[in-house]
Amino acid sequence: MQHLVDTNNFSDTQIAQLLHDAKTFKKQYPPQLLRDKLLITLFFEASTRTRSSFEVAAKRLGAAVVHLDPSRSSAKKGESLEDTFANLCAMEPDGVIIRHSENATPQLLADMEITSVINAGAGNYAHPTQALLDLFTMVEHFNGDVNGKTIAIVGDIVSSRVASSGIRLMTRMGMNVLLVAPKQFMPQSTLPQYEKLEDVMDKVDIIMSLRAQLERHETELFEDYEDYAKQYCITKERMKNRDILLLHPGPVMRNIDISDEMLKDPRCKVLTQVKNGVFMRMAILKLLLLDS
């Protein structure tokens, strides 16, 4: 039984296989490889892209999907998370896809070794499927090789599970990662850190903008989102004609994270990331439920 708590659960060979399968699925949908499989989604936090993407991926492969709304479950009656999970697993699903506010929850459930656990985002530490779909998008853009490419991650890095998982995977793949944010948004890291976006624009091949999460910080660093945008919004004026790939995990705060103009720019691959998320999650489900 294999789980996906974070990308380090996969070997280099498995990651290469995921990239290959996602590319293959994008060219042509496969037969319904998982037509006898059942998945349960358990989202304790709101989600649009990730939950929908998993459901579409599962159904493209022929699997059945059952959604459990924790707000209407016995968890609201005092049942522990472990008991909720054990009761769901008694119905013999082939995997449970979970999102939770606590970093440790996916590993806690995986350690019960009842069914495959797939982390759809936990706390501020891990969002492995987003990291893998972002890798696929970059590999696709750079014709198969991201080794040695430089990426700047911009914004509220310390609060971002996307950044956390992405940093671990991208450095593993031989990429150079730069962090751009005000000091209060910076995690503890040995990676190069910059406060000014302008200082990295001529150093990078890729920019990953993150959602500004000012509400997560007690200290008021900026007067408002407009003040934040003046320093960190990715605009045409900042990008100029540089050949830089622009990514964002969504949801994008328009004219705060990325300007309206840049969202229409061909260098911006936000919707490509969403599309690629389905194919990468198809590859992940195949690996976990069929190949492991």
Side-chain angles (χ1 to χ4, degrees):
M1 182 185 303
Q2 187 167 8
H3 309 285
L4 176 56
V5 174
D6 200 9
T7 54
N8 58 11
N9 292 133
F10 291 150
S11 66
D12 289 350
T13 300
Q14 286 177 317
I15 289 176
Q17 185 64 48
L18 290 173
L19 293 169
H20 174 270
D21 284 347
K23 181 179 179 180
T24 302
F25 295 160
K26 191 169 182 177
K27 288 180 179 177
Q28 182 175 356
Y29 285 116
Q32 295 198 323
L33 303 172
L34 303 181
R35 58 187 173 274
D36 61 339
K37 303 296 185 181
L38 171 65
L39 290 161
I40 293 177
T41 62
L42 188 57
F43 278 67
F44 287 86
E45 290 186 324
S47 170
T48 301
R49 278 157 304 282
T50 302
R51 179 177 151 176
S52 299
S53 182
F54 265 117
E55 182 174 0
V56 171
K59 291 185 175 181
R60 290 289 190 193
L61 292 171
V65 182
V66 174
H67 297 299
L68 175 66
D69 181 355
S71 69
R72 299 181 180 180
S73 73
S74 293
K76 287 290 184 180
K77 301 177 182 178
E79 184 176 68
S80 72
L81 176 63
E82 294 93 329
D83 283 342
T84 297
F85 182 70
N87 276 274
L88 291 175
C89 290
M91 303 176 199
E92 299 187 340
D94 298 282
V96 173
I97 301 164
I98 184 163
R99 170 168 287 192
H100 202 273
S101 61
E102 297 294 329
N103 290 346
T105 294
Q107 188 63 59
L108 175 71
L109 302 183
D111 288 343
M112 294 172 70
E113 290 293 338
I114 308 176
T115 193
S116 286
V117 172
I118 304 168
N119 180 4
N124 67 349
Y125 182 73
H127 195 346
T129 63
Q130 183 71 45
L132 288 161
L133 76 88
D134 290 341
L135 176 64
F136 176 44
T137 304
M138 291 184 281
V139 167
E140 182 179 58
H141 181 80
F142 292 107
N143 298 314
D145 188 14
V146 295
N147 184 51
K149 298 296 183 185
T150 299
I151 181 169
I153 301 177
V154 180
D156 190 0
I157 302 168
V158 73
S159 301
S160 174
R161 53 189 168 218
V162 172
S164 186
S165 268
I167 288 167
R168 289 189 290 277
L169 182 60
M170 289 182 285
T171 53
R172 178 180 171 185
M173 295 295 113
M175 297 179 68
N176 305 308
V177 181
L178 312 179
L179 308 181
V180 183
K183 289 180 180 179
Q184 294 91 330
F185 285 9
M186 281 286 188
Q188 289 188 336
S189 175
T190 58
L191 295 171
Q193 299 183 2
Y194 299 82
E195 284 193 63
K196 294 183 179 180
L197 189 53
E198 285 71 20
D199 290 344
V200 305
M201 295 303 297
D202 291 322
K203 303 176 187 288
V204 301
D205 304 290
I206 309 136
I207 290 174
M208 178 183 288
S209 173
L210 301 173
R211 183 172 73 85
Q213 301 182 63
L214 304 189
E215 73 279 1
R216 288 180 178 263
H217 298 270
E218 293 181 6
T219 305
E220 293 187 9
L221 305 179
F222 304 93
E223 290 183 10
D224 52 26
Y225 280 106
E226 185 177 343
D227 186 32
Y228 170 89
K230 287 177 184 176
Q231 297 183 52
Y232 296 103
C233 184
I234 311 301
T235 63
K236 185 82 170 181
E237 291 73 25
R238 286 193 164 109
M239 289 283 278
K240 297 182 180 177
N241 292 320
R242 296 180 179 94
D243 185 17
I244 297 175
L245 175 66
L246 178 57
L247 305 177
H248 192 295
V252 178
M253 297 178 71
R254 285 177 173 265
N255 301 309
I256 296 170
D257 304 331
I258 302 175
S259 70
D260 284 337
E261 189 177 17
M262 277 310 306
L263 284 169
K264 297 175 183 177
D265 191 287
R267 291 170 290 181
C268 181
K269 302 298 182 183
V270 171
L271 293 181
T272 301
Q273 289 171 270
V274 176
K275 177 182 286 189
N276 285 347
V278 172
F279 299 112
M280 176 50 73
R281 290 182 175 107
M282 288 170 67
I284 290 166
L285 292 175
K286 172 180 174 286
L287 189 156
L288 291 176
L289 304 186
L290 207 62
D291 297 342
S292 296

